Amino acid sequence: MDTPAKTSSAVPLRAGVGLKAAHYTPILEQHPDIGWFEIHAENYMGAGGPPHRYLEAIRRDYPLSLHGVGLSIGADKPLDQDHLIRLKRLNERYQPGLFSEHLAWSTHDEFFFNDLLPVPYTQEALTRCADHIDQVQETLGRQMLLENPSTYVTFEDSSMSEIEFLRSLSERTGCGLLLDVNNVFVSATNHGYSPEDYLDTFPIERVGEIHLGGHARDQDDAGAPLLIDAHDRAVADRVWTLYERTIGRSGNLPTLIEWDNELPSWQELFAEAQAADAILLQDPPEQQHVAR
């Protein structure tokens, strides 16, 4: 199927937002000054219907990033070939500038879990994830970005840190990384380490996209703070501060505002993107880069 694109597929070094059906009409009517949109691949794997009609119209005017949630990269089983073929067709149809997935698993035997479950940071898991990433990139004929997770438990048998695991995967497969700053803050709070230290040692030269989102506050059974990566509210002030720190180190990078639940009005979501753009469009750092 021919791509409906008229604009370049390249995602600019600006802010974008996750595209939601509730916002199709104001986007098409107002044609806002926003850098790009990101879609969840699994929402557009059907052949046609209203979702594709609206997406085709928006793709004519804006670049897209494609974000998968169902490949189950970390699963201890082969990748779903039918899912992978549908993903390839979607990439060919819309020619997104970026494609990303999660470091997580969501399948076991014949079961699919509606969650992104954590991966132990072991050599065995590293080999399995690398093999899956190689298969995805070979099938799609393009680089994949892999997102750092938000986590609530750790594994006793992990033999390396999360950063070591992600760096090794990227170097071994050539995949890029998607740095979710909110996920860093959530995991750091839940496990009691410094998000600043994490961000300062992250392999920033491998990063091709940044995510920002909202989190919910709770507490665990012992009364300690527990953050949930809820994607149901505005970006927290602490996460904005960490984002500025990250951009100061990396240079400008395409930055997504994630808001998937309890959706706000289009204007409220657009304002979050404008806040990210205000940081990105300041006097730029001397050197910028793309993931390699």
Side-chain angles (χ1 to χ4, degrees), residues 198-216:
Y198 183 104
L199 290 169
D200 288 350
T201 55
F202 197 85
I204 204 73
E205 72 281 358
R206 314 293 297 190
V207 176
E209 182 181 338
I210 291 177
H211 276 188
L212 301 173
H215 58 260

Side-chain angles (χ1 to χ4, degrees), residues 5-147:
K6 290 184 179 178
T7 59
S8 168
S9 64
V11 173
L13 304 178
R14 290 190 59 191
V17 300
L19 180 62
K20 303 300 177 186
H23 299 144
Y24 288 155
T25 298
I27 291 168
L28 290 172
E29 289 180 347
Q30 299 171 26
H31 195 74
D33 179 18
I34 194 166
W36 51 287
F37 291 97
E38 184 160 279
I39 63 169
H40 284 174
E42 287 73 14
N43 291 338
Y44 295 91
M45 284 188 168
H52 283 289
R53 186 167 66 250
Y54 283 107
L55 182 56
E56 287 172 357
I58 291 168
R59 176 65 183 92
R60 292 187 185 101
D61 296 325
Y62 297 96
L64 291 181
S65 175
L66 188 61
H67 191 51
V69 297
L71 271 177
S72 199
I73 291 293
D76 188 13
K77 60 177 293 186
L79 295 178
D80 184 325
Q81 291 302 302
D82 289 339
H83 187 96
L84 192 53
I85 292 303
R86 289 195 296 271
L87 189 59
K88 177 179 176 65
R89 289 171 180 162
L90 194 61
N91 268 275
E92 292 171 345
R93 182 171 185 174
Y94 289 104
Q95 297 293 305
L98 296 169
F99 166 67
S100 56
E101 249 287 357
H102 297 82
L103 176 59
W105 62 277
S106 54
T107 55
H108 181 68
D109 291 334
E110 300 304 316
F111 297 99
F112 181 84
F113 303 96
N114 191 27
D115 208 343
L116 297 169
L117 300 169
V119 175
Y121 300 137
T122 63
Q123 287 295 331
E124 180 182 4
L126 179 68
T127 298
R128 181 171 64 248
C129 290
D131 288 346
H132 287 166
I133 292 168
D134 285 341
Q135 185 180 357
V136 172
Q137 293 186 142
E138 182 177 350
T139 299
L140 300 186
R142 64 174 303 159
Q143 185 188 53
M144 182 178 79
L145 306 180
L146 190 67
E147 179 178 347

